Amino acid sequence: ELITDAEELASHKETRERLNQIRERVRQFNSDVDIVNKNITDAYAQYTGVVQQNAREMMDNLLKLGDLAAAVNNVTALNNITHSWDNLAAARSSLSRYAESRDAADGKRTTDNLNGLAKELEEIGKVIISSEGRSVYDALMKDNQELQAGMSDMGRTNEQAATARGDIIANIQAMRDIANALNDDVANQMVTYGTQTLESNASAQTFMLGISAGGFILGIVLSILIVIGIVRVLNRVSSFALGIARGDFAQRLDVREKGEIGDMIAAMRE
């Protein structure tokens, strides 16, 4: 009869539903992790392949423009170019920080620096007269436009990664809640089945009752240990994900699991 009760417990509708919910959450978690990894990779590729290149080209063109202004003693242009150097240096510094931190505050500082640089470049354009100077200035403005476009792409990609990280944290919390509910379900069902088993075996021999009770208790212990194990793993995964969300990529996740939860943990380690 204990075997029959165990089979009924495993096929209980609410228990099956909660287990299916956990499986679905694990699949969603793996999808979100893939999104975060792709967005982070794409944003950094945008920085190294577009933003940095445009910033270097802007420096070269500012140098050329400064030499041309000095050659004709264009003091006003030289003063504006000097101010542009300060803004360009600040923009490059904040861009570097933003590429590493992906923090919204660093992104805003970078945008402010780029806007200040754009205003200074506009002032330079008002006092450049020679055709050669205009040609260099046009190339400089083209680099600036591409730099700002690259920064915008980085910002959008990092925002998508931040959204996915938030989904990961919410997903893990939901899995913890489901696991806790599953733990309560198992405990309540085991108590119910235990009571029924004891009542049905009240007239049995003492020896057989002892064996049945021992098997029942062992079943309870094993069931509770399994659920506690799931909850512990999810707690560790939750702490790990929270660390990732805060930018702590140095921590390690020393948990060994198989199945969907094992796939989720392997995805997080990557």
Side-chain angles (χ1 to χ4, degrees):
E1 190 166 339
L2 281 173
I3 294 175
T4 302
D5 290 343
E7 290 174 348
E8 185 177 349
L9 173 63
S11 62
H12 195 273
K13 181 181 178 180
E14 290 186 357
T15 301
R16 290 200 313 271
E17 288 179 351
R18 295 195 194 282
L19 289 173
N20 288 333
Q21 287 172 2
I22 289 178
R23 292 190 186 98
E24 181 59 33
R25 291 284 181 177
V26 168
R27 284 191 288 270
Q28 184 60 48
F29 174 91
N30 290 333
S31 175
D32 289 335
V33 168
D34 290 341
I35 291 173
V36 170
N37 288 336
K38 182 179 184 304
N39 286 335
I40 290 175
T41 301
D42 289 349
Y44 199 76
Q46 185 73 21
Y47 170 69
T48 57
V50 176
V51 173
Q52 276 190 324
Q53 179 64 29
N54 289 128
R56 284 192 293 267
E57 291 177 358
M58 287 186 69
M59 290 181 64
D60 293 340
N61 285 322
L62 266 179
L63 281 172
K64 293 177 184 178
L65 205 57
D67 291 340
L68 291 173
V72 296
N73 198 28
N74 189 335
V75 177
T76 303
L78 286 172
N79 287 334
N80 291 333
I81 290 171
T82 299
H83 293 154
S84 296
W85 269 112
D86 294 337
N87 281 310
L88 180 57
R92 292 193 67 185
S93 177
S94 58
L95 273 168
S96 177
R97 286 195 302 272
Y98 181 50
E100 294 295 335
S101 70
R102 298 176 296 279
D103 182 73
D106 287 335
K108 185 179 184 306
R109 279 191 290 271
T110 301
T111 300
D112 291 342
N113 287 330
L114 290 176
N115 289 337
L117 175 61
K119 292 179 180 179
E120 291 293 342
L121 293 178
E122 290 175 0
E123 293 300 317
I124 293 175
K126 295 176 182 179
V127 293
I128 297 298
I129 301 174
S130 69
S131 59
E132 185 178 4
R134 295 302 307 179
S135 176
V136 174
Y137 176 76
D138 290 342
L140 179 63
M141 293 302 293
K142 181 175 181 293
D143 291 334
N144 180 62
Q145 291 172 358
E146 292 178 356
L147 175 61
Q148 296 216 28
M151 173 59 193
S152 296
D153 289 342
M154 282 179 61
R156 283 191 295 270
T157 304
N158 284 332
E159 286 176 2
Q160 293 171 0
T163 299
R165 284 196 299 268
D167 291 341
I168 287 173
I169 295 172
N171 212 356
I172 289 177
Q173 183 59 53
M175 283 190 285
R176 292 175 64 182
D177 293 340
I178 294 170
N180 288 331
L182 178 62
N183 183 28
D184 294 338
D185 286 347
V186 170
N188 293 333
Q189 293 168 36
M190 290 302 293
V191 169
T192 300
Y193 292 139
T195 301
Q196 294 173 354
T197 300
L198 290 176
E199 290 175 353
S200 65
N201 289 319
S203 61
Q205 297 179 0
T206 303
F207 178 73
M208 292 303 296
L209 180 59
I211 293 177
S212 298
F216 166 67
I217 292 173
L218 179 60
I220 290 178
V221 172
L222 290 176
S223 297
I224 291 175
L225 287 177
I226 290 172
V227 175
I228 288 176
I230 293 175
V231 174
R232 284 181 177 175
V233 169
L234 292 176
N235 283 336
R236 292 183 186 177
V237 171
S238 176
S239 298
F240 182 79
L242 287 172
I244 291 177
R246 298 188 185 102
D248 182 7
F249 295 96
Q251 60 178 327
R252 295 176 60 84
L253 182 58
D254 296 324
V255 176
R256 295 183 180 179
E257 287 291 326
K258 296 180 179 180
E260 287 93 344
I261 292 180
D263 293 340
M264 175 183 70
I265 294 170
M268 291 186 70
R269 288 191 178 121
E270 295 176 359

